[in-house]
């Protein structure tokens, strides 16, 4: 104990524990949440122009709990007989009726023209091989690329699976804006947690040195360097 009755290095040790725990929590939350569950993938093909040209970096949220029309999703293409993950846009969900007849300028969704401002050249029916009329089964999705003239999507998969659809369970994640506060917050936590963790480790070293010095001082003879009293 020091002359004030405290344990040498105790305050520094407590600060070290707090910093190490806080730094570890921030680093783990940021690393796992911001990069493992929200990974960045590069789109290899050009079928999602103009929204996502080939080579685009796309951040996917793997923690999604539901899929909506308009979502751009990462999914297992096994339902289409492929062994890979693919990216398409959700155009219709379970219970929707989507149709096309040659000469139409748009697809119809539940009997109404489907507005799709995201498609290349404003031509949503480009490359469509022929007429179709599909009621999407519950729990499945009708998926299309944004470059309709160059996308092997649900329109070409009628023979491979149920009306060219894929099960919702095949979806692994949905695109999230890289500037979304959730992404920025989690990834910032990682880079903020690393210096906090380093500061905690440094405090551990300081606390140990303080304890060693106090122990060494306590081991010195009371009259070291002084003339001992006569006896």
């Amino acid at each position: 104990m020091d002359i004030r009755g405290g344990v040498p290095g105790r305050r520094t040790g407590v600060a070290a524990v707090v910093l190490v725990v806080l730094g570890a929590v921030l680093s783990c939350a940021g690393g796992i949440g911001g990069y493992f569950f929200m990974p960045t993938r590069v789109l290899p093909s050009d079928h999602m122009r103009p929204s996502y040209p080939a080579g685009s970096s796309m951040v996917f949220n793997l923690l999604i709990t539901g899929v909506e029309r308009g979502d751009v999703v990462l999914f297992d293409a096994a339902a289409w007989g492929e062994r890979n993950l693919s990216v398409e846009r959700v155009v219709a969900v379970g219970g929707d009726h989507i149709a096309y007849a040659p000469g139409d300028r748009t697809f119809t969704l539940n009997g109404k023209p489907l507005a799709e401002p995201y498609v290349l050249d404003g031509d949503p029916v480009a490359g469509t091989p022929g007429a179709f009329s599909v009621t999407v089964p519950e729990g499945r999705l009708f998926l299309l690329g944004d470059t309709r003239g160059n996308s092997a999507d649900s329109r070409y998969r009628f023979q491979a699976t149920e009306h060219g659809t894929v099960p919702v369970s095949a979806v692994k994640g949905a695109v999230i804006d890289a500037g979304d506060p959730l992404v920025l917050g989690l990834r910032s936590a990682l880079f903020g947690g690393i210096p906090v963790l380093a500061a905690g480790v440094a405090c551990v070293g300081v606390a140990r040195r303080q304890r060693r010095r106090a122990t060494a001082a306590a081991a010195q003879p009371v009259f070291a360097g002084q003339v001992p009293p006569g006896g």
Side-chain angles (χ1 to χ4, degrees):
M1 297 176 64
D2 63 20
I3 60 175
R4 293 168 295 180
V7 177
R10 181 175 183 180
R11 291 183 179 179
T12 306
V14 171
V17 171
V18 171
L19 290 173
V20 167
V21 171
L22 179 59
V25 169
L26 288 173
S27 298
C28 289
I32 296 175
Y35 289 93
F36 183 79
F37 287 112
M38 293 185 183
T40 298
R41 295 178 181 271
V42 176
L43 185 67
S45 71
D46 219 23
H47 75 289
M48 291 300 294
R49 287 191 302 143
S51 302
Y52 305 99
S56 295
S57 294
M58 308 171 74
V59 179
F60 289 93
N61 180 4
L62 306 187
L63 299 176
I64 58 169
T65 56
V67 180
E68 300 178 353
R69 297 186 203 98
D71 286 348
V72 175
V73 297
L74 178 72
F75 67 99
D76 184 347
W80 288 349
E82 299 179 1
R83 296 183 178 181
N84 59 269
L85 295 179
S86 188
V87 175
E88 302 284 359
R89 188 181 295 273
V90 177
V91 176
V93 298
D96 284 341
H97 182 265
I98 185 167
Y100 167 73
D104 288 351
R105 300 181 64 181
T106 68
F107 298 123
T108 59
L109 181 68
N110 300 324
K112 299 179 180 179
L114 178 60
E116 297 186 274
Y118 42 76
V119 299
L120 182 67
D121 299 329
D123 189 359
V125 300
T128 301
F132 64 83
S133 180
V134 173
T135 296
V136 181
E138 292 295 337
R140 300 185 74 88
L141 305 168
F142 195 87
L143 306 174
L144 299 176
D146 289 357
T147 306
R148 296 292 158 79
N150 183 32
S151 180
D153 46 41
S154 288
R155 297 170 297 170
Y156 296 86
R157 308 289 184 165
F158 293 150
Q159 302 302 318
T161 183
E162 296 181 49
H163 307 293
T165 62
V166 300
V168 173
S169 60
V171 173
K172 304 303 180 183
V175 169
I176 185 172
D177 190 343
D180 186 279
L182 180 61
V183 177
L184 292 177
L186 287 171
R187 292 186 174 185
S188 296
L190 171 62
F191 295 106
I194 291 174
V196 172
L197 183 60
V201 173
C203 283
V204 170
V206 172
R208 287 177 176 174
R209 287 196 295 272
Q210 289 174 338
R211 292 192 186 103
R212 284 198 296 267
R213 289 172 183 171
T215 300
Q220 294 286 336
V222 175
F223 298 106
Q226 301 180 20
V227 177

